[in-house]
Amino acid sequence: MLGLVGVAMAVLAASPLPDMDAAVLAEVNRARTAPRAYAEVLRDYRRHYRGRVVDDPGDPGYRTTSEGVRAVDEAIRFVERQPPLPPLSAADVLAAAAGDHAAAQGARGDVGHVSADGATPGDRVRRRGGGPYMSETIAYGSTNPVAVVRQLIIDDGVRDRGHRAVIFDPRLRFAGVGCGPHPVYIALCVIDFSATPDGRPAPR
């Protein structure tokens, strides 16, 4: 699953915030634990659309979206129906795997979930001593943690809204985040999720 890739952007160059990883996880948990309140975040963001172009003062630069406000409206309806979920706990193994992928893509300018050597997200978690039972989302183009998570929840241009489905999957209880600079899209954030702290099967 890809985040906002291939959009027309005029984004101010900036380095990711040093505490970006923790801030992104906190923002995911804000959406999971209080989805109806999070709908107000999306309503406020909607005001910045002009057709398919959005200008968010919290994440400077104009972005041309695929769907315009239609995707935002659909996301608002979704989160308003969503029951609150427990917050995700930080997991070191997942964070290490996410950081590995963010660093590799930042060095090469790659996008996507498969590493240059063909490794899948599950392979990367295995390399860190865990198992392959996990899910991954990636957001490109923002150094603002609010914008990162909002992008994944709106899921503009993603037909199955797969990133949003992962964020609100009640089976997932742990996550690790790795963010960094990207030579094409300014920044990226990889989030690895699992039902267990290390991607191994949950005990029966």
Side-chain angles (χ1 to χ4, degrees):
M1 294 177 289
L2 280 181
L4 187 60
V5 178
V7 300
M9 296 188 297
V11 183
L12 296 178
S15 297
L17 300 173
D19 58 351
M20 185 79 163
D21 298 356
V24 167
L25 182 57
E27 186 66 11
V28 169
N29 282 334
R30 176 163 78 127
R32 277 176 61 99
T33 60
R36 290 185 180 178
Y38 189 80
E40 297 306 314
V41 175
L42 299 180
R43 286 195 181 92
D44 182 67
Y45 180 60
R46 189 188 191 282
R47 297 187 298 106
H48 299 284
Y49 276 75
R50 298 294 181 271
R52 292 194 301 119
V53 177
V54 60
D55 179 20
D56 177 11
D59 192 30
Y62 293 91
R63 300 167 187 257
T64 300
T65 66
S66 297
E67 302 175 63
V69 296
R70 186 180 74 84
V72 184
D73 289 341
E74 193 267 332
I76 291 169
R77 292 192 297 271
F78 176 91
V79 296
E80 286 182 327
R81 298 191 305 267
Q82 178 68 30
L85 295 171
L88 298 165
S89 298
D92 291 343
V93 169
L94 300 175
D100 290 343
H101 197 46
Q105 291 205 331
R108 295 172 53 90
D110 293 340
V111 296
H113 293 278
V114 179
S115 300
D117 64 358
T120 65
D123 293 333
R124 292 190 292 271
V125 175
R126 276 200 207 97
R127 289 172 179 174
R128 284 294 187 165
Y133 298 94
M134 46 80 65
S135 298
E136 183 175 87
T137 66
I138 309 176
Y140 298 88
S142 180
T143 61
N144 180 326
V146 174
V148 166
V149 176
R150 187 180 59 214
Q151 174 188 321
L152 295 169
I153 289 174
I154 294 173
D155 238 3
D156 176 75
V158 180
R159 183 174 298 179
D160 65 357
R161 309 296 194 214
H163 302 93
R164 182 197 303 162
V166 170
I167 287 174
F168 289 101
D169 188 333
R171 298 168 297 179
L172 302 175
R173 304 300 296 270
F174 297 87
V177 183
C179 300
H182 192 280
V184 179
Y185 294 107
I186 307 301
L188 78 158
C189 280
V190 181
I191 313 175
D192 286 349
F193 302 78
S194 182
T196 62
D198 58 2
R200 296 184 184 277
R204 290 180 178 271

